[in-house]
Amino acid sequence: DSGVTQTPKHLITATGQRVTLRCSPRSGDLSVYWYQQSLDQGLQFLIQYYNGEERAKGNILERFSAQQFPDLHSELNLSSLELGDSALYFCASSVGGVTEAFFGQGTRLTVV
Amino acid sequence: EDQVTQSPEALRLQEGESSSLNCSYTVSGLRGLFWYRQDPGKGPEFLFTLYSAGEEKEKERLKATLTKKESFLHITAPKPEDSATYLCAVSGAGSYQLTFGKGTKLSVIP
């Protein structure tokens, strides 16, 4: 158990809908990262927050947004969902920005 | 832009047959190189961090080494439970995220 908690574990929704994925980092970790993993792709970095502030942005679509709250948990919002958004979404946390990151068990999103 | 290439894509070993996985990287000022293990449908599990060329880390049957352009994950006398995808990632200067390779899928046959 990495100490990073993601909910829900599975999510099935229809095209055009909006969903929210939730992540609680390890106790004491200030950085939260979001990654997307599709079948044929590696882990694609989406966005990073550090102590409530956005620190880095990767290949995140405009339909996607995220935030980190004062209690350090984070949410990833995915809207106007398309079939191609079906993937595993992982949250990871670390103490700072250059140390090892610990991953949650992921949310498997299926868009039908 | 940081880049990570892992080889081979897949590797089948007999139980007890030692081998190495390769991770080649291009990064502007390496802050750290990370190895993870990922089981199907699960989150990556942290294994090692290496910070500078010449550094080595060991854990059970795994040993990670680092040069200026690549890292190796050596697996000694593997067991079936070592079967997983092994991921390599780097963090470069001026970049706060980890850039991952596509991984090596290791299968250890009894």
Side-chain angles (χ1 to χ4, degrees):
Chain A
D1 182 5
S2 67
V4 179
T5 304
Q6 288 188 249
T7 56
K9 285 189 170 51
H10 303 277
L11 200 49
I12 300 175
T13 189
T15 54
Q17 294 299 304
R18 172 190 170 94
V19 298
T20 298
L21 312 184
R22 193 179 193 279
C23 170
S24 295
R26 292 188 320 159
S27 177
D29 284 357
L30 299 178
S31 265
V32 169
Y33 309 78
W34 286 97
Y35 284 84
Q36 179 192 58
Q37 188 175 44
S38 304
L39 270 177
D40 296 330
Q41 300 288 326
L43 280 160
Q44 300 293 315
F45 171 70
L46 296 177
I47 198 164
Q48 182 208 0
Y49 282 83
Y50 178 79
N51 203 20
E53 300 286 328
E54 181 184 305
R55 176 169 271 188
K57 218 169 196 177
N59 299 322
I60 187 167
L61 299 172
E62 285 192 13
R63 301 183 284 109
F64 296 1
S65 65
Q67 54 183 324
Q68 186 179 28
F69 295 87
D71 67 353
L72 300 177
H73 91 271
S74 178
E75 292 180 357
L76 179 67
N77 300 296
L78 315 175
S79 62
S80 302
L81 285 166
E82 302 174 358
L83 295 177
D85 297 327
S86 296
L88 270 167
Y89 290 85
F90 288 106
C91 168
S93 73
S94 68
V95 171
V98 292
T99 58
E100 55 270 11
F102 293 85
F103 282 77
Q105 289 303 298
T107 293
R108 181 176 292 280
L109 174 66
T110 303
V111 183
V112 297
Chain B
E1 182 182 327
D2 301 343
Q3 291 188 338
V4 177
T5 303
Q6 292 188 246
S7 62
E9 288 184 16
L11 181 63
R12 284 171 62 95
L13 298 174
Q14 291 292 322
E15 185 171 0
E17 179 187 1
S18 301
S19 188
S20 296
L21 313 182
N22 177 266
C23 169
S24 297
Y25 63 90
T26 304
V27 66
S28 220
L30 180 70
R31 286 184 169 180
L33 184 139
F34 308 87
W35 282 98
Y36 288 83
R37 168 195 170 123
Q38 186 175 25
D39 293 304
K42 306 286 188 185
E45 174 190 345
F46 170 74
L47 293 174
F48 303 109
T49 305
L50 301 167
Y51 292 105
S52 57
E55 192 174 356
E56 299 182 351
K57 293 268 179 79
E58 280 189 70
K59 180 180 179 179
E60 295 181 356
R61 296 177 291 281
L62 301 177
K63 179 179 176 181
T65 62
L66 181 64
T67 72
K68 287 188 177 178
K69 293 194 173 181
E70 56 191 350
S71 176
F72 293 93
L73 185 65
H74 307 278
I75 301 177
T76 302
K79 298 183 178 181
E81 53 262 42
D82 295 322
S83 297
T85 295
Y86 290 85
L87 300 169
C88 172
V90 296
S91 176
S95 166
Y96 292 100
Q97 75 262 27
L98 300 182
T99 298
F100 280 84
K102 293 194 173 183
T104 294
K105 184 175 181 179
L106 174 67
S107 301
V108 181
I109 313 303

